[in-house]
Amino acid sequence: MSLEQVRAFVVIADAGSIGRGAERLHISQPPLTRKLRALEDELGATLFVRTPRGVRLSPAGVRFMDHALRILDAVDDAERAFRGGSSALEPS
């Protein structure tokens, strides 16, 4: 699973459709659909229920969303920690 796939999942869920998610990510819909399918294949679960009006989270998608948000928060925290020039890994 890649960070890009996790971000794409969250954006699609927030947008409510793969098409609108693709617009927000500034990519075309087919590659975004492929990223989502690859993530679903890797997890062995369907993350979205496709409807005529878009998508909604499946029960597995609801469970994965909590993990996805924690992953993205952890990455953001790491980026902030090192962006200021100090290293959280340097000894005191």
Side-chain angles (χ1 to χ4, degrees), residues 25 42 45 67 80:
L25 292 168
E42 186 171 342
H67 295 284
R80 276 193 297 276

Side-chain angles (χ1 to χ4, degrees), residues 3-37:
L3 189 56
E4 187 177 350
Q5 289 171 316
V6 174
R7 281 192 178 117
F9 165 78
V10 172
V11 169
I12 293 168
D14 183 59
S17 83
I18 296 172
R20 285 190 298 273
E23 288 174 9
R24 290 183 185 182
L25 292 168
H26 307 288
I27 62 173
S28 64
Q29 188 171 340
L32 184 56
T33 298
R34 286 191 294 274
K35 285 179 207 279
L36 175 58
R37 283 191 185 140

Side-chain angles (χ1 to χ4, degrees), residues 35-91:
K35 285 179 207 279
L36 175 58
R37 283 191 185 140
L39 179 61
E40 289 177 324
D41 288 347
E42 186 171 342
L43 294 174
T46 300
L47 299 174
F48 291 99
V49 175
R50 278 81 170 164
T51 70
R53 304 185 97 202
V55 296
R56 63 181 170 78
L57 290 173
S58 69
V62 171
R63 287 193 314 272
F64 184 66
M65 179 60 80
D66 181 54
H67 295 284
L69 293 174
R70 283 189 282 140
I71 290 165
L72 295 179
D73 284 344
V75 169
D76 288 344
D77 288 346
E79 288 174 346
R80 276 193 297 276
F82 287 88
R83 202 173 294 135
S86 66
S87 172
L89 299 178
E90 290 177 8

